[in-house]
């Protein structure tokens, strides 16, 4: 049927994937995943788990990774919009410590592939967002690591976020459209890149 468009990002291993969308008077149809198209683009990963989360505006999740059982992730949004971010933690990579971000939404229908060796996070930009991602390995409790989402060494530019206290992982003082960001306790306690696990 329709081919997917696979675009390499500035950081090696990251890809933005866009479907061919067929629209008519009934609505639309598109393939969210086609193994043949992915293999043709050089992406031969196998997915073993799929997760879905729903978040309200201003929720920031991340930056997460698994240490001994790293996961590749194919992410997309079913409803609303998020800013999705990957940080390169591959110790031998020429882009170690660099980040790349892309807006994923139910309107643009883009997907973001993040391979093993990256930390991952997202910020909800709309009143609500339903986020879905396939994983190349299972979730392993106790294996999770993370980086402070606002580590000044990373310098991630989260769209619309203003803040007074750079370098501290806590949500206090950080605003999106006048409302304080919402982070889990775990995500407010990650350390910066210098203290983070490397692949």
């Amino acid at each position: 049927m329709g081919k997917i468009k696979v675009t390499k990002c500035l950081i090696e291993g990251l890809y933005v994937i866009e479907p061919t969308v067929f629209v008519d008077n009934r609505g639309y149809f598109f393939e969210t995943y086609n193994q043949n198209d992915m293999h043709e683009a050089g992406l031969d990963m196998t997915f073993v788990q799929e997760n879905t989360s729903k978040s309200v505006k201003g929720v920031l999740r991340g930056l997460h990774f698994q240490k001994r059982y790293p996961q590749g992730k194919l992410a997309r949004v079913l409803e609303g919009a998020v800013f999705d971010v990957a940080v390169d933690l591959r110790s031998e990579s020429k882009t170690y410590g660099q980040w790349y971000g892309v807006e994923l939404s139910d309107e643009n229908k883009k997907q973001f592939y993040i391979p093993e060796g990256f930390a991952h996070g997202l910020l909800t930009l709309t009143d609500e967002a339903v986020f879905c991602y396939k994983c190349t390995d299972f979730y392993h409790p106790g294996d999770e690591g993370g980086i402070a989402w606002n580590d000044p060494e990373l310098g991630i530019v989260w769209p619309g976020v203003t803040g007074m206290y750079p370098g501290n992982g806590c949500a206090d003082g950080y605003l999106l459209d006048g409302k304080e960001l919402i982070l889990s306790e775990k995500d407010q306690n990650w350390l910066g890149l210098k203290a983070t696990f490397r692949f």
Side-chain angles (χ1 to χ4, degrees):
M1 190 127 190
K3 290 284 187 180
I4 60 171
K5 177 184 175 186
V6 178
T7 304
K8 292 182 179 180
C9 301
L10 296 175
I11 297 177
E12 185 180 350
L14 298 178
Y15 296 86
V16 173
I17 298 161
E18 300 173 74
T20 299
V21 183
F22 300 91
V23 181
D24 62 21
N25 63 334
R26 299 168 299 168
Y28 64 78
F29 170 87
F30 64 96
E31 293 180 354
T32 56
Y33 178 76
N34 184 302
Q35 189 178 60
N36 290 334
D37 289 353
M38 296 290 272
H39 284 190
E40 192 175 302
L43 301 174
D44 59 357
M45 72 291 285
T46 300
F47 298 110
V48 299
Q49 181 176 323
E50 184 171 80
N51 304 320
T52 302
S53 65
K54 183 176 183 178
S55 303
V56 296
K57 188 172 187 174
V59 166
L60 196 150
R61 298 178 184 265
L63 300 158
H64 303 148
F65 56 88
Q66 289 193 158
K67 301 172 186 175
R68 292 175 297 148
Y69 304 97
Q71 297 172 307
K73 297 176 179 178
L74 180 61
R76 67 187 183 104
V77 165
L78 305 178
E79 296 176 19
V82 307
F83 186 66
D84 206 38
V85 171
V87 177
D88 191 350
L89 296 182
R90 301 169 298 181
S91 55
E92 302 302 315
S93 172
K94 62 184 178 183
T95 53
Y96 173 80
Q98 294 184 26
W99 66 274
Y100 185 88
V102 60
E103 183 174 322
L104 306 178
S105 72
D106 57 359
E107 290 188 8
N108 68 27
K109 298 174 180 53
K110 291 180 179 179
Q111 299 185 63
F112 189 28
Y113 181 66
I114 304 157
E116 296 84 349
F118 283 75
H120 171 248
L122 64 94
L123 170 67
T124 306
L125 302 175
T126 48
D127 288 342
E128 291 184 340
V130 178
F131 182 78
C132 178
Y133 58 102
K134 293 176 169 60
C135 303
T136 59
D137 203 344
F138 297 103
Y139 173 69
H140 292 266
D143 191 42
E144 192 172 43
I147 311 175
W149 65 277
N150 59 348
D151 180 11
E153 187 173 356
L154 294 178
I156 297 172
V157 180
W158 299 96
V161 173
T162 58
M164 300 181 293
Y165 308 112
N168 114 7
C170 154
D172 295 344
Y174 285 95
L175 306 175
L176 177 64
D177 294 341
K179 294 184 180 179
E180 193 169 282
L181 293 185
I182 304 166
L183 281 82
S184 69
E185 183 178 351
K186 174 181 66 179
D187 287 346
Q188 296 188 53
N189 289 308
W190 298 122
L191 300 175
L193 182 67
K194 287 179 181 174
T196 297
F197 174 89
R198 291 184 179 213
F199 288 96

